[in-house]
């Protein structure tokens, strides 16, 4: 399997996963929110923060799909590395608020690592292609 196919597969899996999470937070936040890792959830008007998370995650997934659909793979690599900051922030938030250490590292930390790997593969794909072009021109 080539770097390009692996990067595409990881991008599609990541987009599908974050779209599922985002839409779940918008439609049924009470069922998905418990798995985030925090010890307590907002009540009353503060529940609107779960809606904000749903919007953020849904848009993140759509950005990935749009960049894939328009063949902007290098841009997707850069954007993916930036998007990796979101689960890092989530992990640090869970740890800072005495949440589940297992969820912080097992969910958010692992997600950050996979998203970072995807971004690196997408960027590496372009570097390899540029090297091959230079080799072909010099040959």
């Amino acid at each position: 399997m080539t770097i390009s196919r692996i990067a595409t597969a990881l991008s599609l899996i990541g987009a599908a996963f974050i779209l599922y999470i985002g839409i779940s937070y918008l439609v049924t936040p009470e069922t998905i929110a418990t798995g985030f890792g925090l010890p307590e959830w907002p009540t009353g008007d503060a529940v609107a923060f779960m809606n904000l998370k749903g919007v953020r995650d849904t848009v993140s997934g759509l950005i990935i799909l749009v960049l894939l659909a328009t063949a902007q793979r290098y841009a997707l690599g850069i954007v993916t590395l930036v998007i990796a900051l979101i689960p890092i922030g989530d992990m640090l938030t869970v740890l800072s608020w005495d949440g589940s250490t297992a969820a912080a590292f097992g969910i958010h930390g692992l997600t950050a690592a996979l998203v970072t790997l995807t971004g690196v593969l997408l960027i590496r794909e372009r570097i390899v292609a540029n090297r091959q072009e230079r080799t072909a021109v010099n040959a």
Side-chain angles (χ1 to χ4, degrees):
M1 192 174 250
T2 66
I3 290 175
S4 179
R5 288 184 184 201
I6 293 169
T8 299
L10 288 172
S11 295
L12 288 170
I13 290 166
F17 177 74
I18 201 61
L19 280 168
Y20 168 76
I21 297 293
I23 292 168
S24 294
Y25 269 98
L26 293 171
V27 177
T28 58
E30 63 282 349
T31 59
I32 194 147
T34 56
F36 192 81
L38 290 172
E40 291 184 39
W41 281 100
T43 57
D45 290 341
V47 171
F49 282 100
M50 286 189 251
N51 197 51
L52 295 174
K53 178 171 174 21
V55 170
R56 176 193 78 173
D57 289 350
T58 301
V59 170
S60 294
L62 291 174
I63 288 169
I64 293 167
L65 293 177
V66 166
L67 289 171
L68 267 176
T70 58
Q72 300 297 315
R73 298 179 68 81
Y74 185 74
L76 176 58
I78 293 169
V79 168
T80 301
L81 290 177
V82 173
I83 288 174
L85 296 172
I86 295 171
I88 290 170
D90 292 347
M91 178 182 71
L92 294 173
T93 299
V94 169
L95 292 171
S96 296
W97 288 90
D98 298 322
S100 166
T101 303
F105 291 109
I107 297 170
H108 307 296
L110 181 60
T111 299
L114 289 172
V115 172
T116 300
L117 172 66
T118 303
V120 168
L121 289 175
L122 286 160
I123 290 170
R124 181 163 163 56
E125 181 182 299
R126 180 171 175 177
I127 292 168
V128 169
N130 286 343
R131 275 192 207 141
Q132 290 172 344
E133 283 178 21
R134 282 194 299 261
T135 302
V137 169
N138 292 334

